[in-house]
Amino acid sequence: MSAIAEPTPKNFELLPKDGDGELLEVAMGPHHPSTHGVFRMDVVLDGERVVKLKPVFGYLHRNHEKIAEGTSYLGSMPYTDRLDYFCSLTNNWAYALAVEKLAGLQVPERAEYIRVITAELTRLQNHACLIGFLVQDMGASGTPLMYAFREREKILDLFESLTGARMMCNYMRFGGCRCDLPDGWLAQAQKVVDEFPKFIDEFENFLSSNEILMARTQGVGVLPRELAINAGITGPMLRAAGINYDLRKVDNYGIYGRFQFRVPLGDHGDVFDRYMIRVLEMRESVKILQQALPKIPTGPIIDPKTKLRGFRPKAGEAYGRIEAPKGELGFYLISDGGPNPYRYRVRPPSLINLTVLEDMCLGQMIADVVIILGSVDIVLGEVDR
Amino acid sequence: METLEQIKAQIEAAVPGARLEIIPNDSPSAQRSLLVAAENGLAVAKFLRDDPELHLDYCSNATGVDWPEAELTEKIKVKKVVDGVEKEAEEVKKTVRPAYLEAVYHLYSMAKKHGPIILRLRTENRVEKNHLPSLTPVWRSCEFQEREIFDLYGIVFDGHPDLRRILMWDGFKDFPMRRDYVAPDDYEYEPTPHDDVLEKAKQHRAQEVKS
C-alpha cells in the first residue's frame, strides 16, 4: 500500500490562539457520564459559554462494515443487533428490508404484523428510556430513569419470551421472522400496551409541567428548520424542528399504510420540543399497537422455500431505510452475485444527527451541552460502528 | 417524479457540458443511478438541490465503494459462418475494468417527499488521482460521512471544510475498507497514540522491580 499518495489532512486547530487567554479547552468524555459510553467533545469555553465544540469519535470503532463484507448475508443479522443495542429489532428490520429489496422477496402478512408490533414496542422502550436519561442528565438523579426502566423491563420480558434474548434479539429473517409467537404472547403484549398510557400519564404529570425542566430546556439548543433539513437530521429531532417527515408515512414500508396515527410536530426545535415529541410519539405508538394487536392474522411467518443459508442475490444494489426510534436507519447493499455482500453500508442516524451538535451548542452554557447531547439520542454502538 | 432519463436531460440542459451516464441495476430493487463526471459534481448537486421541481434538499446517505482492477468476463453471442452455414456461437469476451474509487450519494426530497436519486462520482484511479469534489457545501449531512469515506477509503474531498480522520486515529496509515487492505496479525503492534505511554509504563515497572 506504499504506492498510495499520502493525503495531508489539516488537523483542526482547536487550541485558542494567542491573545484570548481567557479561553479554556476542556475534553468532555470519553468517560463523562453523560456521553453514553465513549464519546468525546473537545469544548472551548469562554467563562461558562461554549465558543467551539468538536465531537471526537471512534473509541468503539470495530469496522462493522468490513466484518459484514467478510461474512454471509445471514451472518450479519445477529451483528446488526449490536449497532443500536437499545433497538435491536428495528436494526434487524432495516437490514432485512434492504436485503428483501435487493433480492425481491415477499413477506407474509403475519410476519409484517409481528414486525410492526415489535418495532413499535422497541420505540416505546427507547423513547421512555431516552426521557429517563435526559432527565437524569438534568440532575434528577435516578428516580425518573428507574420509572422508565420499570416499563422497559416489561417490554424486554416480551422480547425474551418471543426471541429468547432480551437485547440481542436476532429475530428477523429475509422474507419474514425467525419463529412464531409463543402461546399467550399476544394477550401478554396486549396487557403491557393497555397499561402503558397510565405510565405516560404518570411520567407527564411529574415532568411535562415541571418548572425546573421547563427552565432548563425551553429555548436551549434551538435547531433551525433549514439547517435541520440540510444537515440530514432525521427522527424525533427533525420533527421537533417542525418538519413533517416520518418514513412510516412517506415510504409506507411494511404495512404502516393500514394504521391510523399522527405525526407529532414541534414548534421551536429546542430541547423541550424534543422531549415532548418523544412523549407524543409514545402515545402514537400505543395507538398503532392497539390497532395491530387484535388484527394479527394467522398464517406462515416466512416462506418455507426461502433459502437463508447459501443465500446469493443477483448482482445489483439496493438501499432500504426505515424509521428507527433514533431516525432514518438505512442499509445500502451491493451484490456481485456472491455469497457475501460486495458492499455493506449502514447509514447511522445517531452519527448524522450529531453533525449539528456544534451549531446547537454554540453560545450555550457548558451545563446545557450535556442536555443538548442527551436530547439528540445517540447510542455509541451505532455512531462508531 | 420524472424518470431518470428526464432528469438526465434536465441536468444536461442546466449544466452545459455535463457528462452523465445512467448505471443500470438489474436486481429487483431497480434503483438505477446517475454517474456524474467529477468535474461537474458540484454544479450538478447544486442544480438538483435548487431546482424547484426536483428540490432534492436532503442527502440521506453518502458512502464509498472500492473497485480494484478486475477482469470482467462476459458471454456474448456471435454469429459465425462455419462450413458455409451461419451458426450462433457463444464467445467469452474479456475486458479489464480499471481501478477506481467511487462515492455514492442517496438524495431525497423532504419538501416533495420523493426519491431516491442516486449520484455516483468516480476517481480516476486508486493511487494518486483520488480526488473528488466535496458536496458538503451543498448538503451539510455529507460532512461526517465524507470524512468517513476519506478515513476508510482514502478519497480526498476538495472543498471539504474539515477533512481529517474520523473513526481511525490520526496517526493511522492505510485505508481499512479497501478490498486489498490486510489487517495486521496483532493489533498491539499498530502504532497507537499510547506507544510512548506504554514505554513509560515499562520503565516504571522496571524501577519497581529493582526497588
Side-chain angles (χ1 to χ4, degrees):
Chain A
M1 286 301 253
S2 58
I4 289 168
E6 193 66 38
T8 49
K10 253 188 283 167
N11 268 339
F12 197 83
E13 258 183 60
L14 196 60
L15 285 169
K17 295 196 176 67
D18 291 338
D20 34 28
E22 297 301 313
L23 295 184
L24 178 71
E25 187 188 341
V26 183
M28 280 182 81
H31 295 299
H32 193 277
S34 76
T35 54
H36 303 256
V38 282
F39 172 66
R40 195 176 98 207
M41 292 172 281
D42 280 345
V43 192
V44 178
L45 297 173
D46 179 4
E48 276 194 63
R49 299 269 171 202
V50 177
V51 288
K52 193 182 276 183
L53 182 146
K54 290 286 160 191
V56 180
F57 311 98
Y59 290 93
L60 212 60
H61 180 55
R62 61 237 184 238
N63 220 336
H64 178 103
E65 295 174 5
K66 185 92 179 171
I67 294 169
E69 283 168 19
T71 182
S72 66
Y73 283 87
L74 184 61
S76 302
M77 185 57 91
Y79 206 28
T80 59
D81 292 339
R82 276 83 177 164
L83 281 171
D84 172 0
Y85 42 77
F86 253 72
C87 317
S88 59
L89 283 157
T90 45
N91 297 345
N92 284 178
W93 193 359
Y95 180 47
L97 191 84
V99 176
E100 281 151 16
K101 272 193 177 175
L102 182 67
L105 297 174
Q106 295 303 316
V107 183
E109 189 93 333
R110 185 173 172 84
E112 291 278 27
Y113 270 90
I114 297 176
R115 284 180 175 191
V116 168
I117 290 167
T118 50
E120 292 309 317
L121 285 171
T122 305
R123 198 179 316 275
L124 283 181
Q125 58 104 357
N126 179 73
H127 284 359
C129 290
L130 184 269
I131 295 172
F133 285 127
L134 179 61
V135 180
Q136 166 123 335
D137 286 345
M138 267 176 244
S141 208
T143 315
L145 183 62
M146 284 305 126
Y147 275 51
F149 266 56
R150 186 189 63 200
E151 296 308 307
R152 177 171 181 252
E153 200 64 19
K154 293 175 193 164
I155 293 172
L156 290 192
D157 283 345
L158 286 175
F159 289 167
E160 190 182 9
S161 66
L162 175 60
T163 68
R166 294 167 70 77
M167 286 174 79
M168 302 298 129
C169 294
N170 179 20
Y171 179 62
M172 289 178 199
R173 291 289 178 266
F174 316 135
C177 298
R178 177 159 56 87
C179 51
D180 209 343
L181 302 174
D183 291 340
W185 193 86
L186 281 173
Q188 214 182 334
Q190 187 70 53
K191 191 163 160 264
V192 171
V193 172
D194 285 343
E195 282 171 3
F196 207 85
K198 218 173 95 188
F199 155 74
I200 307 176
D201 292 342
E202 181 191 49
F203 222 46
E204 271 212 276
N205 270 337
F206 287 140
L207 297 174
S208 289
S209 49
N210 184 305
E211 226 173 291
I212 304 171
L213 186 132
M214 291 206 283
R216 283 297 304 278
T217 56
Q218 288 182 345
V220 171
V222 176
L223 177 63
R225 284 175 195 208
E226 294 72 32
L227 181 65
I229 297 176
N230 196 251
I233 307 303
T234 44
M237 226 176 126
L238 176 77
R239 293 191 284 276
I243 293 145
N244 186 357
Y245 195 74
D246 187 323
L247 297 185
R248 290 175 292 177
K249 291 274 191 201
V250 175
D251 278 11
N252 268 336
Y253 62 93
I255 49 165
Y256 272 113
R258 295 185 200 175
F259 302 114
Q260 297 285 322
F261 65 99
R262 290 162 63 198
V263 180
L265 294 180
D267 217 5
H268 307 96
D270 55 3
V271 175
F272 185 79
D273 276 10
R274 273 170 237 148
Y275 154 79
M276 209 59 212
I277 287 289
R278 276 162 182 129
V279 173
L280 296 172
E281 277 197 4
M282 282 200 284
R283 293 195 190 278
E284 297 304 314
S285 289
V286 169
K287 251 192 232 171
I288 296 174
L289 283 164
Q290 291 289 17
Q291 293 167 56
L293 280 167
K295 276 191 203 151
I296 185 164
T298 51
I301 47 151
I302 190 166
D303 183 0
K305 282 180 193 153
T306 312
K307 200 180 158 202
L308 291 173
R309 284 173 198 281
F311 177 75
R312 283 164 181 262
K314 253 172 70 179
E317 62 172 60
Y319 180 65
R321 55 178 197 161
I322 69 161
E323 182 74 34
K326 292 185 169 54
E328 173 187 327
L329 177 63
F331 279 80
Y332 173 59
L333 300 164
I334 299 182
S335 163
D336 59 353
N340 303 353
Y342 184 83
R343 178 78 179 101
Y344 167 105
R345 150 85 177 161
V346 187
R347 188 251 185 227
S350 300
L351 172 73
I352 295 161
N353 285 358
L354 284 175
T355 312
V356 290
L357 185 64
E358 185 179 18
D359 303 63
M360 290 192 294
C361 289
L362 287 184
Q364 304 280 353
M365 308 286 260
I366 181 81
D368 290 339
V369 171
V370 173
I371 16 176
I372 293 169
L373 178 70
S375 72
V376 176
D377 191 6
I378 55 168
V379 158
L380 266 293
E382 189 180 75
V383 171
D384 287 346
R385 282 160 294 134
Chain B
M1 199 172 65
E2 298 96 331
T3 62
L4 204 56
E5 282 80 8
Q6 286 169 325
I7 293 170
K8 182 172 173 252
Q10 280 180 26
I11 298 174
E12 276 163 348
V15 184
R19 285 187 289 126
L20 303 167
E21 190 189 325
I22 291 176
I23 306 288
N25 184 357
D26 298 331
S27 80
S29 78
Q31 292 173 341
R32 295 182 300 162
S33 44
L34 209 52
L35 176 66
V36 184
E39 66 268 22
N40 307 124
L42 203 60
V44 170
K46 274 196 182 126
F47 167 74
L48 290 175
R49 186 194 60 182
D50 297 334
D51 184 67
E53 284 301 308
L54 290 167
H55 208 304
L56 297 162
D57 50 6
Y58 166 45
C59 176
S60 159
N61 181 38
T63 188
V65 189
D66 181 18
W67 301 96
E69 193 175 277
E71 198 175 62
L72 304 178
T73 52
E74 199 183 356
K75 278 183 184 170
I76 43 168
K77 282 183 180 164
V78 192
K79 281 185 181 171
K80 267 186 186 171
V81 183
V82 185
D83 303 333
V85 187
E86 201 180 42
K87 272 187 185 173
E88 256 195 8
E90 270 198 353
E91 233 176 51
V92 179
K93 187 185 159 198
K94 283 186 181 170
T95 44
V96 174
R97 182 188 66 200
Y100 54 84
L101 296 161
E102 195 172 56
V104 184
Y105 298 85
H106 286 78
L107 312 176
Y108 288 87
S109 171
M110 277 193 188
K112 306 247 169 186
K113 300 204 168 38
H114 60 213
I117 297 292
I118 306 167
L119 286 190
R120 308 180 97 92
L121 302 176
R122 285 180 185 168
T123 63
E124 276 180 60
N125 61 34
R126 296 168 76 238
V127 188
E128 78 289 347
K129 289 186 173 167
N130 53 353
H131 288 250
L132 283 181
S134 168
L135 300 191
T136 307
V138 185
W139 294 287
R140 183 77 196 281
S141 55
C142 300
E143 186 181 339
F144 286 170
Q145 302 189 72
E146 281 182 348
R147 264 179 77 184
E148 194 184 309
I149 302 170
F150 163 74
D151 187 1
L152 303 179
Y153 282 95
I155 300 178
V156 181
F157 288 96
D158 301 324
H160 191 285
D162 181 21
L163 193 68
R164 59 199 162 103
R165 287 196 179 267
I166 183 167
L167 295 170
M168 308 302 283
W169 54 95
D170 283 340
F172 187 79
K173 302 263 165 26
D174 219 342
F175 307 107
M177 278 301 283
R178 290 196 178 187
R179 307 292 292 185
D180 51 4
Y181 172 76
V182 183
D185 295 340
D186 189 344
Y187 279 101
E188 297 295 310
Y189 287 100
E190 281 287 292
T192 66
H194 309 293
D195 264 8
D196 44 343
V197 180
L198 292 175
E199 201 55 47
K200 262 187 207 165
K202 227 183 252 173
Q203 289 168 7
H204 190 72
R205 209 176 298 142
Q207 281 175 3
E208 269 185 354
V209 171
K210 261 185 218 163
S211 61

